[in-house]
Amino acid sequence: MEDSRKKRRVLVVTSVEPEREAILRGLGNDGRFTVRIGGVGPIAAAARTARILATEEPFDLVICAGISGGFVGQAEVGSLVVGSEIVCADLGAETAEGFCSLDELGFGSAHVPVDQQLAASVTEALRAAKMPVKMAPILTLSTVTGTAQTAAELARRMPDAAAEAMEGYGVAVAAQDAGIPVLEIRAVSNAIGPRDKSAWRMKEAFAALEAASSVLREVL
């Protein structure tokens, strides 16, 4: 197992530089990991991830990592979420009866599966390191939630989801297209709902992201 870990090459994609810096602090000098900025939103993340995968050395795993909002009662501020699947929650059509997903429209899928065994191993390793963590669906949205009404509607449509961010689906589609397994790991900085920046806990979220990255060195 030790030999396989040494040989595994991992691409970690973040949206912004502070996320990248936190992850690099946690990873130290582990040369198996390449950490790059993919930009904000699913389109930039998909384009830049695809370019990296097409032009750089072969990778065995892609991870989208960063901070996120957490659904109240599912993932508290300062906790971690490992994606059990990656879902583009706003990809579909508006109808008189409500939102109709891409899957329901029959034009493809807004869900990208992850390696369940690997996601579970990462979750258990984080839990063993005494970190609050949950394995659950992570949502991708181009417009992050800012009202109680939208938060309630998302929770109704996807009651098992624990977190939302803006890049996971884009990174995941690029990895899936290249035939490479993908994971998403998020540190929760705020509760999903009314936008209140005074309640965000960025310092705690970046600390959790750094700590989680140090565990990745041991489990991957």
Side-chain angles (χ1 to χ4, degrees), residues 20-99:
R20 180 176 180 270
E21 291 174 352
I23 290 168
L24 286 173
R25 288 194 300 271
L27 292 174
N29 296 319
D30 195 323
R32 297 172 300 142
F33 293 84
T34 298
V35 187
R36 295 294 177 80
I37 296 173
V40 176
I43 296 173
R48 292 175 188 173
T49 302
R51 183 178 62 191
I52 294 168
L53 294 177
T55 60
E56 298 192 18
E57 62 183 290
F59 291 97
D60 305 298
L61 175 67
V62 177
I63 301 175
C64 180
I67 63 174
S68 72
F71 283 98
V72 175
Q74 295 278 16
E76 302 306 316
V77 173
S79 69
L80 297 160
V81 180
V82 177
S84 60
E85 65 174 334
I86 301 168
V87 185
C88 191
D90 56 3
L91 185 57
E94 186 179 23
T95 75
E97 291 74 33
F99 180 81

Side-chain angles (χ1 to χ4, degrees), residues 10-184:
V10 182
L11 171 65
V12 183
V13 182
T14 73
S15 60
V16 293
E17 182 62 29
E19 293 171 331
R20 180 176 180 270
E21 291 174 352
I23 290 168
L24 286 173
R25 288 194 300 271
L27 292 174
N29 296 319
D30 195 323
R32 297 172 300 142
F33 293 84
T34 298
V35 187
R36 295 294 177 80
I37 296 173
V40 176
I43 296 173
R48 292 175 188 173
T49 302
R51 183 178 62 191
I52 294 168
L53 294 177
T55 60
E56 298 192 18
E57 62 183 290
F59 291 97
D60 305 298
L61 175 67
V62 177
I63 301 175
C64 180
I67 63 174
S68 72
F71 283 98
V72 175
Q74 295 278 16
E76 302 306 316
V77 173
S79 69
L80 297 160
V81 180
V82 177
S84 60
E85 65 174 334
I86 301 168
V87 185
C88 191
D90 56 3
L91 185 57
E94 186 179 23
T95 75
E97 291 74 33
F99 180 81
C100 186
S101 71
L102 189 68
D103 303 72
E104 293 168 322
L105 291 170
F107 296 145
S109 181
H111 299 248
V112 176
V114 304
D115 184 319
Q116 293 293 309
Q117 184 175 356
L118 189 56
S121 295
V122 170
T123 302
E124 289 306 313
L126 293 169
R127 188 169 292 127
K130 308 301 182 184
M131 299 180 195
V133 60
K134 182 170 188 174
M135 182 172 161
I138 299 177
L139 307 184
T140 299
L141 296 101
S142 295
T143 302
V144 295
T145 302
T147 67
Q149 180 180 0
T150 302
E153 172 60 17
L154 283 173
R156 185 194 65 80
R157 286 201 284 120
M158 283 157 284
D160 294 330
E164 71 163 31
M166 301 179 73
E167 295 79 29
Y169 184 78
V171 172
V173 167
Q176 184 181 54
D177 190 61
I180 302 171
V182 64
L183 295 177
E184 185 169 9

